[in-house]
Amino acid sequence: MKKVIAIIIIVLIVYVAGSVFVSYNYLAVNEFSVDTGKCREAVTAVVISDLHDHEFGAYNWRLAEKIEEIQPDLILMDGDMLNEASEDALVPLELIGQLKDTAPVYYALGNHELGYMENGHPELTGELEAAGAVVLDKTYVDIEVNGNKVRIGGMYDYAFGLNGNNDASAAPSDTLSFLQEFQDTDSLKIMLAHRPDSFIFGDASKVWDVDLVVSGHNHGGQVVIPFLGGLYGGDQGWFPEYIHGIYQKDKIRMFVTSGLGTHQEKFPRFNNPPEIAVLTIQ
């Protein structure tokens, strides 16, 4: 009996260790599709988020190579590509340098980029742009892709105000003016919002006219428990709902990637391979 218990324990240890290793090192390419009803021809976007300075091969060549093989129309970097305590921004800068000739790169800031800038690196936005990315921070660009008119915006702030009810109308004035201007178009409206929490609380998903919100932040729940899903998700707490995949939240469609890495979390990534998300937008 003791031998049986010992074997079971060893198998469990090997399984957990193997899953943790895979969750940090094995790049998974996962495909998703969302129908917005606004595209004449489909648009293929690669979504990556939460790299946290991790490298898949020297200078992230394995990551860049896989993305190049996909031949996307757009590359969406959705924040936390470095850490707030990073000494420099070389990891995301080198990655952008490798990807800029594959497809246009659009970069939204996450909480770690904001923390990094506050920690004495206000030059980050300029460096990202010099490397070849379009940085979107309560700003947007209008582009044409495969004959489709597309407006891509980016913001980290909540799309509502912290007034007790999380009312969209109570959002700070700069957020209100940005969102009101952003939604004033007939183009396909894609918002890069690093944390999905920015649009899921209060009435934000009922008020704002955004066709597709693209997020990361919650690392797919960090620990993915079979049959139960992700364990924890930021503002959403334990066993969060909006952490990986495509969701319909009132009138907003939302895509959330589980991301590529992690940083100083209480638990390691488990049963949760680093994700390159291939999002077909129709």
Side-chain angles (χ1 to χ4, degrees):
M1 186 64 177
K2 289 182 178 179
K3 288 184 178 180
V4 173
I5 294 174
I7 291 172
I8 292 173
I9 292 173
I10 291 170
V11 169
L12 285 174
I13 291 173
V14 171
Y15 167 70
V16 170
S19 183
V20 170
F21 178 83
V22 167
S23 296
Y24 281 82
N25 297 284
Y26 177 79
L27 281 166
V29 178
N30 296 326
E31 297 184 359
F32 304 86
S33 181
V34 58
D35 187 357
T36 66
K38 284 196 170 182
C39 290
R40 295 179 180 178
E41 298 290 336
V43 175
T44 301
V46 159
V47 180
I48 55 175
S49 181
D50 301 282
L51 183 62
H52 289 290
D53 267 345
H54 190 67
E55 291 186 85
F56 297 92
Y59 309 109
N60 269 308
W61 71 267
R62 287 199 293 124
L63 175 58
E65 185 177 75
K66 281 187 176 290
I67 293 174
E68 184 178 1
E69 290 172 357
I70 296 164
Q71 297 186 318
D73 300 308
L74 307 170
I75 298 171
L76 307 179
M77 289 189 175
D78 212 2
D80 281 8
M81 302 301 286
L82 44 59
N83 297 315
E84 62 179 331
S86 297
E87 293 183 1
D88 55 50
L90 282 179
V91 170
L93 294 177
E94 289 169 344
L95 181 58
I96 291 167
Q98 293 185 78
L99 293 177
K100 65 181 180 181
D101 294 329
T102 297
V105 178
Y106 298 93
Y107 194 120
L109 304 180
N111 48 294
H112 279 270
E113 280 86 2
L114 295 174
Y116 176 80
M117 290 191 286
E118 291 172 358
N119 287 337
H121 302 277
E123 72 283 354
L124 176 62
T125 297
E127 289 180 335
L128 295 170
E129 291 177 339
V134 176
V135 179
L136 301 168
D137 181 25
K138 276 187 279 194
T139 54
Y140 64 82
V141 292
D142 290 315
I143 61 174
E144 186 168 316
V145 186
N146 297 343
N148 307 298
K149 292 183 178 179
V150 182
R151 174 168 289 184
I152 303 177
M155 59 171 279
Y156 176 75
D157 291 355
Y158 291 123
F160 51 85
L162 302 177
N163 65 338
N165 295 319
N166 296 331
D167 294 321
S169 60
S173 58
D174 59 339
T175 301
L176 280 175
S177 59
F178 165 63
L179 287 169
Q180 288 165 350
E181 183 177 347
F182 174 80
Q183 68 182 9
D184 187 20
T185 180
D186 292 328
S187 299
L188 169 66
K189 296 178 282 289
I190 301 173
M191 179 67 74
L192 305 184
H194 174 69
R195 52 183 177 185
D197 315 325
S198 292
F199 281 87
I200 66 175
F201 292 108
D203 60 356
S205 58
K206 297 178 180 178
V207 170
W208 300 117
D209 183 10
V210 180
D211 297 307
L212 179 63
V213 171
V214 178
S215 301
H217 186 57
N218 292 322
H219 305 171
Q222 188 74 6
V223 173
V224 178
I225 302 173
F227 308 111
L228 293 177
L231 182 64
Y232 189 76
D235 292 345
Q236 298 177 63
W238 298 101
F239 296 103
E241 181 176 356
Y242 303 96
I243 53 168
H244 186 219
I246 294 173
Y247 305 92
Q248 182 76 47
K249 182 73 167 70
D250 300 313
K251 65 180 184 180
I252 285 180
R253 285 288 186 94
M254 177 177 290
F255 171 70
V256 187
T257 176
S258 56
L260 291 161
T262 187
H263 176 68
Q264 294 183 348
E265 302 294 335
K266 293 180 180 179
F267 302 101
R269 283 181 74 111
F270 173 77
N271 193 29
N272 189 8
E275 178 175 74
I276 300 170
V278 183
L279 183 60
T280 300
I281 306 169
Q282 297 175 317

